[in-house]
Amino acid sequence: MILLLLPSLSVAQGVDEILTPVAGEQLEEPDPGLDIPGAVTVLDRDNDAGDQLEVYFEPPADLEGILAYNIYRRAVSDEGNEDWSLVKIIPVIEPTEFIDGYDPEYPIEPGILYEYKVASTSITGEEFFGPVCRAEIVSQGEFYHTGKTRVLIAGALFIFLIFYYFGKAQRGFKMYLRPIAGIEAIDEAIGRATEMGKPVLYVPGLSTISDVATIASLTILSRVAKKIALYQTPLLVPNRDPIVYTVADEVVKQAYLEAGRPDAYDPDSVFFLTDSQFAFVAGVNGIMMREKPATNFYLGMFWAESLILAETGSLSGAIQIAGTDAVTQLPFFITTCDYTLIGEELYAASAYLGREPKQIGAVKGQDSCKAIIMVFITLALIFGIIDIVADTHILDWLRNIVTSPIID
Amino acid sequence: MLNIDRRWIFLAIGVVSIVPFLIGIGMPVSTTVEVENIFDYVNELGKDDAIFISFDYAPGTQAENTPMAIAVMRHALHNDVSVFLTANQPLGHGMAIGALHYVTDPAIPDFYESVSFEDWSALRDAGIVDKDELVSAWESEGNVLPEGCSGWIFEGRDYALLGYAPVFNLVILGMTNSIEAQYPQDAHGNSTGEMPMLRDHKSLREVDLALSCSGSGACVWWITYAREKIGMPVAFGVTAVMATDYYPYIQSGQIIGQMGGLRGAAEYEVLLYENGVTVTTGKAFTGMDVQSAAHLLIIFLIIMGNIAFFAGGFHKKTALKGRG
Amino acid sequence: MIVLVGGILMIVQYFIPHQYSQNIFNYYTEWAPIVGAFALILGVGSLTRVHSHKIRRKAKNWQFSWAVLIPLYGMPFFALIWPQSLWGGMEEPGIFDFVFMHIQVPIQATMFSLLAFYIASAAFRAFRAKSALATVLLLAAVIVMLGQVPIGEMLGRWLPETGLWILRYPNLAAKRAIMLGVGFGILATNLKIIFGVERNWLGGAGK
Amino acid sequence: MYETIGIWVGAFFTLAIYSFLYKENPLYRLAEHLVVGVSLGYTISITYDITLKPRLIEPLLAGSHWILIIPAILGLLYITRFIPSIAWLSRYPIAFLMGTSMGVSFPLTMKAWVLRQLEGAMAPLYVSGMNWSEVAGNIVLILGTLAALIYFFFSKPHKGLFFGTGSKIGIWVIMLGFGATFGFTVMGRISLLIGRIQYLLGDWLHIIK
């Protein structure tokens, strides 16, 4: 199976011109044929598993008539009876170097000595062999990949920062988190429902419990339920996921208990609706039209149904507070709801309300990473301006710090 | 006025989406650099090259994703580039089969005549695997290309239906070492080790492009596991909903280009048509008229709704009509 | 515990190119799909349980549960045990492919296209320029929507150009900031799971 | 014949779903339930055919590769999920997959999502040959990314020149981005409808080509 590559038309024509006489005069004085390639140099490749070698060979002085080079390899053994295997074909226009060992059919074994020979091939497939060269080294695997240092540093820094803030939060350190607009509106919205004597609807998203957004939503639900217990306003929490339903039920019960109103807890306020997406929406819409809740919360993970929910809610005249990390649904919430928690604001809000050390630690740790990113971008901006004004190249230097080359 | 039964609006959008089809306007679609980059890249490839087209979507978004996959597949087959078809989810497997059927369906213009892996086994055993030699040898056996057909395609040389594999991110990672190890057989039960295209392109290192047609964020796997590991060029064909999220990857150079939604597919069809690769444009292009009309209707509805709202025609406490 | 060892092993593996590390990794890429394939048992099991329950208790709409269970077991039956085509002819694809191409595909594709109707309705009844920010959002949306379709080009060259400019610069800036935030979020979640701080993903198994 | 029946069946279910726009009804519910069963049934068949058969069962039957027993047993532990007394065993396969995939993705995510994006964010403002809209774009790009990051920064109050103004610009940039998403989402949903109409009018009724 020979892979022939005609580099360009002109080369192909050139080959024709040369070969025509050769074909005709084959029996006479053996034509010197094609010029043969020179010595082969083999180097161990860095940062590999000991299964790759870098192979270079000197191109022949005279390239005429050569279509490609065939490179053969075999393991060096005492008897010398190993078969040669064709490991690579390089078209003549390409550089005379390659990395051996990528081909899964002819793998290189670490610690074994190989020898190579290279042949120039003509368009008819004739091969003219150069010298057999023995590799001076054997391939070896390394224990650390030097090209990945930047990823290692960044990863280590990240792990350190996260655990630093985890530890700090767990030791009970008070840490500042800025207030979030949507959260401040919660109390006001519940108050409004109380005044109107209408229920509050809380949809904890349509996803499962393993979704971070769902967990954040349940933390906020706990806070909302506590407020509601104090005001004695009816609460409605429809669920799509059975496990989320059990957890949500638990959360609300607990909140009523903590508010000192376990008697006011209505076991029917948290309920499982259905697990089908659109039927769930139809069900919630039905509730909105019948019960006319004064306030709707949509916090958690939403998909395409977000807009149907929010549309009905806005028509029913309710105050709507939404929050999700689903970027594609956010625009619909922003245009139909009164307050929207955008992406990470949802997590931060749950950390802010929940005051759970784990969550606050995570938010703080991520914040410090963002601070590092912001410093880099600010520097890049300043350096970029300096580059234009003073015609220097310091931005490249800065970019170089974070650039990780593609090597493996 | 805002309380009109929503079913009237449903009816309006239905009518607007049907009428332009019946009239058939064919408004011109201009192309953007994001799509041109993919086209130019594939256009440079030849018979020694190979690409992956990954069907990373479910039937839910087939209207957007399938035209993209088909357009690029036709382009690659036209240039004799070998095409590997994969899927990151089981339903995508069915989508890949469907797209292959579409491209080889004689009832649809620009179709290719497929030769199954067994049918040309004799030629293969004789060592004829170069595309040009293969075609002439095949035709010399008395096979005639049907009328209107764009060319022969040989299973195992021009395309391989690898299909779905679970934990697909790790499959991509594994294919950077060896494709055959991840897919010992193709979806038709043929041994991939015997396929000429797998012998020429043994790992992703020897493949020139991966196009992920995707309706979810999973297309990023190709960047994380293939592009960042071995520098393989990646292109996206994503649904419009996802498209805006991936502009950062274009700017950072992690993908060579992107087709966003039906519009992106229509652009590729236009490029194919203008460059003489196909004789007609496909479904995406015909859909653009409806797209225009429907966008106008929706913008009109937004404006009217806001006027009605701010003019006070809306009373927050009036009853809600229609079904929710 | 398995999580901790597995996680750290794989992180460390990334930085070590040596052959032992590569061997571990090769085993892993071979095994993971096999283990992953068995995870389907969970889906089949819980779906069967929920719907057989419904049928037994004659819950509301219990008849429809048959519409879930019959294809659930029928599909593998037609695919693996009895790959019969519809009329028994040889050229026709089997019942398995028929059900997929002509039931599954149309239903799923149509489900999502329902949204086009709902968007139109919401456009009229709910998308409000209530604040300066929502106004900016809607304006940008209108420009992008017009810029993306042929009719926008006919209305003026500036429409698609402005639309593309929004997509390529402000949109990119916003999405990159979100992406960096999400990236850190994913990394933090990875860490929390590896070190056992987060356990919700077990989904209550064995509780 | 086969194709025709297929298209009629497909058209029937398409219309069954659309009937939901008028009113919820048993036909819609039937279609909705069917799709759940069919998609999982399809998944099982494909997974068996493409993964379990060639990668596990055939190598095992061939008598070699006995080591594959380990992942097979690990996978079978999933079944214990339905036997309450030993359900904890099902944690092992989940833990195996979760732990290792988290470990694999950690450095790669760091590289592809964080470092690579940071590199992109540090773009030069001006390279010769750019027109004014590209330069303006680059300024918006760098400042916008910075401002949007400030908006999502929770450790400092949004006051003062840097954090106050920054977060205000940030939210505007975010809104422009969401506007683009909004427009594209509308476009996408309509495209899906177009696909169905092409199916109904073209493949089924043959009114359009």
Side-chain angles (χ1 to χ4, degrees):
Chain A
M1 191 215 45
I2 293 181
L3 177 140
L4 296 176
L5 193 136
L6 298 180
S8 73
L9 204 61
S10 64
V11 172
Q13 280 167 346
V15 170
D16 275 341
E17 279 162 28
I18 306 251
L19 285 182
T20 324
V22 173
E25 295 164 321
Q26 217 147 47
L27 289 177
E28 291 179 21
E29 213 237 330
D31 187 87
L34 304 177
D35 200 358
I36 54 168
V40 183
T41 322
V42 181
L43 298 175
D44 185 25
R45 185 162 152 77
D46 284 339
N47 296 326
D48 67 349
D51 55 3
Q52 285 153 22
L53 290 167
E54 289 177 21
V55 180
Y56 304 87
F57 57 90
E58 285 176 21
D62 181 12
L63 292 179
E64 271 192 0
I66 300 176
L67 185 70
Y69 307 105
N70 291 351
I71 297 107
Y72 293 85
R73 156 162 61 84
R74 70 172 176 187
V76 175
S77 61
D78 293 336
E79 299 86 36
N81 56 4
E82 292 268 336
D83 284 335
W84 287 98
S85 35
L86 175 63
V87 290
K88 184 80 180 176
I89 297 161
I90 299 179
V92 74
I93 44 158
E94 283 180 19
T96 56
E97 57 181 53
F98 75 107
I99 293 162
D100 193 8
Y102 280 161
D103 190 334
E105 219 169 306
Y106 308 110
I108 284 184
E109 299 287 330
I112 289 181
L113 193 60
Y114 289 100
E115 54 191 7
Y116 285 85
K117 63 176 179 180
V118 183
S120 308
T121 51
S122 69
I123 194 163
T124 52
E126 272 181 288
E127 292 180 309
F128 301 89
F129 283 98
V132 173
C133 296
R134 188 165 291 199
E136 278 153 16
I137 46 98
V138 296
S139 182
Q140 257 166 357
E142 285 78 26
F143 283 101
Y144 176 66
H145 196 304
T146 51
K148 293 175 177 172
T149 306
R150 289 186 183 91
V151 180
L152 182 66
I153 293 172
L157 191 64
F158 181 80
I159 295 177
F160 169 76
L161 282 172
I162 292 281
F163 279 98
Y164 173 74
Y165 281 103
F166 264 5
K168 222 171 150 183
Q170 236 134 26
R171 285 195 303 273
F173 224 79
K174 278 266 178 289
M175 282 183 287
Y176 177 81
L177 282 182
R178 77 168 165 87
I180 292 153
I183 287 302
E184 293 177 328
I186 287 183
D187 292 354
E188 182 202 326
I190 296 174
R192 181 172 176 261
T194 317
E195 269 168 40
M196 293 170 67
K198 283 181 175 173
V200 171
L201 177 75
Y202 191 106
V203 186
L206 272 77
S207 188
T208 57
I209 192 78
S210 53
D211 211 313
V212 194
T214 314
I215 299 165
S217 172
L218 291 172
T219 316
I220 300 174
L221 173 64
S222 150
R223 163 72 174 249
V224 170
K226 230 179 275 177
K227 269 265 144 49
I228 285 176
L230 289 175
Y231 288 156
Q232 305 259 17
T233 312
L235 171 71
L236 298 167
V237 187
N239 284 280
R240 184 206 178 189
D241 186 275
I243 297 168
V244 176
Y245 157 66
T246 31
V247 181
D249 195 36
E250 209 55 48
V251 163
V252 173
K253 216 183 284 174
Q254 185 66 28
Y256 273 76
L257 200 67
E258 280 170 26
R261 294 283 172 81
D263 50 309
Y265 169 72
D266 174 7
D268 289 337
S269 64
V270 184
F271 52 94
F272 173 79
L273 205 55
T274 167
D275 57 357
S276 133
Q277 186 186 7
F278 285 98
F280 178 83
V281 177
V284 175
N285 282 354
I287 294 169
M288 283 193 222
M289 287 183 316
R290 279 194 309 275
E291 312 272 338
K292 292 260 181 317
T295 306
N296 299 339
F297 291 97
Y298 313 111
L299 299 170
M301 183 68 201
F302 292 87
W303 287 285
E305 68 287 340
S306 67
L307 116 128
I308 314 175
L309 283 177
E311 183 201 358
T312 316
S314 97
L315 279 184
S316 73
I319 287 218
Q320 306 204 85
I321 298 178
T324 182
D325 56 355
V327 176
T328 45
Q329 303 311 325
L330 278 166
F332 297 118
F333 277 142
I334 292 170
T335 46
T336 46
C337 296
D338 300 272
Y339 294 95
T340 309
L341 300 176
I342 299 168
E344 282 174 89
E345 281 187 311
L346 177 65
Y347 311 146
S350 101
Y352 180 78
L353 289 180
R355 287 277 146 204
E356 203 188 329
K358 258 188 327 199
Q359 296 224 28
I360 295 184
V363 171
K364 291 300 260 190
Q366 290 176 44
D367 254 12
S368 51
C369 294
K370 276 181 226 161
I372 296 173
I373 299 270
M374 285 175 350
V375 169
F376 265 103
I377 297 179
T378 315
L379 282 178
L381 184 66
I382 296 168
F383 286 8
I385 294 169
I386 295 175
D387 273 357
I388 295 173
V389 177
D391 198 26
T392 50
H393 293 285
I394 46 178
L395 178 59
D396 290 342
W397 170 80
L398 184 71
R399 282 176 64 128
N400 230 357
I401 296 180
V402 296
T403 308
S404 42
I406 293 176
I407 39 171
D408 69 317
Chain B
M1 176 181 146
L2 280 164
N3 282 319
I4 59 167
D5 192 323
R6 64 199 288 176
R7 281 173 278 196
W8 287 112
I9 300 172
F10 293 164
L11 187 65
I13 195 88
V15 170
V16 163
S17 326
I18 291 174
V19 169
F21 270 127
L22 303 176
I23 303 170
I25 309 160
M27 279 185 273
V29 173
S30 65
T31 56
T32 56
V33 68
E34 285 85 359
V35 179
E36 285 162 8
N37 282 345
I38 307 179
F39 180 87
D40 293 341
Y41 187 89
V42 177
N43 215 24
E44 289 299 308
L45 300 179
K47 65 175 178 176
D48 294 318
D49 300 316
I51 65 169
F52 264 70
I53 298 180
S54 197
F55 292 74
D56 303 340
Y57 62 94
T61 61
Q62 65 154 349
E64 289 182 89
N65 290 123
T66 303
M68 301 168 182
I70 285 174
V72 177
M73 207 189 324
R74 281 194 175 135
H75 194 188
L77 294 177
H78 177 84
N79 290 356
D80 293 332
V81 176
S82 304
V83 183
F84 292 90
L85 308 174
T86 53
N88 78 350
Q89 48 188 303
L91 299 177
H93 184 91
M95 295 288 98
I97 296 173
L100 197 57
H101 274 302
Y102 190 87
V103 170
T104 53
D105 184 349
I108 294 157
D110 297 306
F111 74 99
Y112 287 85
E113 183 70 17
S114 169
V115 182
S116 78
F117 195 60
E118 298 88 54
D119 288 352
W120 63 288
S121 58
L123 291 177
R124 192 166 56 241
D125 294 341
I128 305 175
V129 290
D130 178 74
K131 180 71 191 268
D132 300 329
E133 292 171 24
L134 188 56
V135 169
S136 50
W138 178 252
E139 288 185 343
S140 69
E141 284 183 6
N143 297 297
V144 182
L145 200 62
E147 200 178 329
C149 178
S150 305
W152 297 103
I153 49 172
F154 296 88
E155 182 176 18
R157 158 63 189 86
D158 291 304
Y159 71 92
L161 181 64
L162 300 181
Y164 162 73
V167 205
F168 196 68
N169 48 354
L170 294 176
V171 173
I172 298 175
L173 209 52
M175 285 196 295
T176 60
N177 281 333
S178 162
I179 300 173
E180 192 189 337
Q182 293 301 317
Y183 286 100
Q185 289 179 356
D186 76 352
H188 296 146
N190 302 314
S191 152
T192 49
E194 292 167 20
M195 292 189 168
M197 61 192 278
L198 265 103
R199 302 189 60 79
D200 286 348
H201 312 279
K202 287 172 186 153
S203 73
L204 289 186
R205 287 174 205 279
E206 294 168 346
V207 174
D208 301 271
L209 175 72
L211 172 78
S212 174
C213 295
S214 175
S216 73
C219 50
V220 175
W221 287 346
W222 284 99
I223 292 184
T224 319
Y225 297 98
R227 147 93 202 173
E228 290 299 332
K229 189 165 159 65
I230 56 166
M232 177 185 202
V234 176
F236 281 176
V238 290
T239 55
V241 178
M242 314 290 308
T244 53
D245 295 354
Y246 296 128
Y247 276 80
Y249 288 123
I250 305 177
Q251 191 255 0
S252 65
Q254 284 165 292
I255 52 177
I256 62 165
Q258 162 175 294
M259 288 177 275
L262 198 65
R263 154 84 192 212
E267 286 179 37
Y268 208 97
E269 286 177 3
V270 167
L271 286 168
L272 288 180
Y273 177 69
E274 283 175 354
N275 287 276
V277 178
T278 56
V279 293
T280 58
T281 48
K283 276 190 167 175
F285 180 79
T286 25
M288 277 296 113
D289 288 343
V290 176
Q291 195 88 49
S292 295
H295 281 203
L296 284 185
L297 174 70
I298 287 188
I299 291 168
F300 172 77
L301 288 172
I302 293 178
I303 294 170
M304 289 312 291
N306 275 289
I307 290 174
F309 178 74
F310 287 107
F314 180 69
H315 304 290
K316 275 210 160 187
K317 281 166 197 133
T318 44
L320 191 68
K321 284 183 200 156
R323 199 192 40 77
Chain C
M1 183 56 199
I2 295 179
V3 182
L4 184 69
V5 173
I8 293 178
L9 196 70
M10 285 298 149
I11 293 183
V12 171
Q13 185 281 139
Y14 176 78
F15 295 102
I16 304 177
H18 196 268
Q19 59 262 36
Y20 298 125
S21 145
Q22 281 303 320
N23 282 345
I24 293 176
F25 187 71
N26 289 345
Y27 269 120
Y28 173 60
T29 49
E30 208 176 307
W31 288 10
I34 299 176
V35 179
F38 282 100
L40 278 175
I41 295 173
L42 289 185
V44 176
S46 61
L47 209 59
T48 311
R49 197 158 61 174
V50 167
H51 287 283
S52 56
H53 229 78
K54 266 192 178 172
I55 293 172
R56 232 176 299 135
R57 284 187 295 118
K58 299 259 188 286
K60 199 175 150 219
N61 292 326
W62 62 274
Q63 299 90 338
F64 291 104
S65 292
W66 287 113
V68 175
L69 291 182
I70 293 173
L72 174 61
Y73 291 96
M75 288 294 275
F77 176 76
F78 284 121
L80 310 171
I81 301 165
W82 196 52
Q84 185 68 32
S85 74
L86 217 45
W87 302 181
M90 283 310 281
E91 311 89 72
E92 292 167 349
I95 293 177
F96 177 73
D97 289 313
F98 181 89
V99 171
F100 179 77
M101 281 319 282
H102 298 295
I103 296 181
Q104 166 85 13
V105 172
I107 295 180
Q108 229 187 323
T110 315
M111 283 276 216
F112 280 87
S113 75
L114 282 181
L115 266 304
F117 293 95
Y118 290 120
I119 278 192
S121 145
F124 184 61
R125 309 202 302 174
F127 295 155
R128 296 283 169 264
K130 278 181 198 162
S131 60
L133 289 174
T135 314
V136 172
L137 194 156
L138 281 177
L139 270 180
V142 167
I143 291 173
V144 168
M145 277 168 69
L146 282 176
Q148 283 291 313
V149 288
I151 205 147
E153 271 164 62
M154 295 179 165
L155 292 173
R157 249 334 282 169
W158 63 273
L159 264 174
E161 272 164 16
T162 319
L164 282 174
W165 192 84
I166 292 178
L167 278 173
R168 283 174 194 160
Y169 301 105
N171 168 56
L172 201 163
K175 295 298 156 59
R176 176 165 283 150
I178 293 174
M179 197 188 255
L180 282 166
V182 172
F184 285 130
I186 295 178
L187 291 173
T189 313
N190 282 1
L191 277 188
K192 284 195 245 174
I193 290 177
I194 291 174
F195 291 98
V197 183
E198 184 85 72
R199 287 179 182 280
N200 284 311
W201 51 270
L202 280 169
K207 263 184 204 160
Chain D
M1 184 61 184
Y2 167 83
E3 274 298 311
T4 319
I5 292 174
I7 292 201
W8 276 84
V9 172
F12 169 76
F13 282 111
T14 303
L15 295 176
I17 298 280
Y18 280 141
S19 68
F20 182 74
L21 288 173
Y22 185 73
K23 206 165 169 261
E24 187 172 358
N25 59 65
L27 269 187
Y28 170 80
R29 227 173 285 149
L30 171 74
E32 199 186 23
H33 279 84
L34 266 182
V35 90
V36 176
V38 173
S39 68
L40 194 57
Y42 187 83
T43 305
I44 300 167
S45 320
I46 295 294
T47 308
Y48 174 80
D49 219 31
I50 299 227
T51 308
L52 290 182
K53 199 169 76 151
R55 290 179 199 215
L56 179 66
I57 295 172
E58 282 176 2
L60 278 182
L61 289 182
S64 54
H65 304 97
W66 285 110
I67 198 151
L68 288 175
I69 283 281
I70 300 175
I73 291 175
L74 202 52
L76 284 171
L77 287 180
Y78 273 118
I79 297 179
T80 63
R81 184 69 174 267
F82 300 103
I83 310 164
S85 57
I86 50 164
W88 55 273
L89 276 174
S90 73
R91 286 179 175 196
Y92 288 106
I94 306 179
F96 169 76
L97 282 184
M98 271 302 238
T100 47
S101 63
M102 291 292 148
V104 169
S105 84
F106 186 86
L108 290 170
T109 307
M110 188 52 108
K111 196 176 164 198
W113 284 53
V114 176
L115 290 180
R116 206 51 89 200
Q117 288 308 318
L118 176 57
E119 191 191 333
M122 293 166 30
L125 288 174
Y126 176 78
V127 179
S128 61
M130 277 185 179
N131 62 27
W132 66 268
S133 79
E134 284 172 273
V135 178
N138 278 336
I139 296 170
V140 170
L141 181 60
I142 297 176
L143 282 178
T145 311
L146 193 59
L149 277 170
I150 294 173
Y151 182 81
F152 288 120
F153 193 74
F154 300 102
S155 298
K156 284 269 181 302
H158 284 174
K159 285 185 190 115
L161 178 68
F162 189 71
F163 285 99
T165 327
S167 76
K168 279 207 189 73
I169 300 174
I171 190 71
W172 285 85
V173 171
I174 293 171
M175 284 303 145
L176 280 175
F178 282 161
T181 304
F182 185 109
F184 263 67
T185 306
V186 173
M187 176 167 117
R189 303 300 188 211
I190 304 235
S191 302
L192 299 182
L193 174 62
I194 290 173
R196 293 328 288 163
I197 291 178
Q198 283 176 331
Y199 180 80
L200 287 178
L201 295 186
D203 297 342
W204 184 41
L205 298 175
H206 299 289
I207 298 175
I208 56 172
K209 78 160 175 95

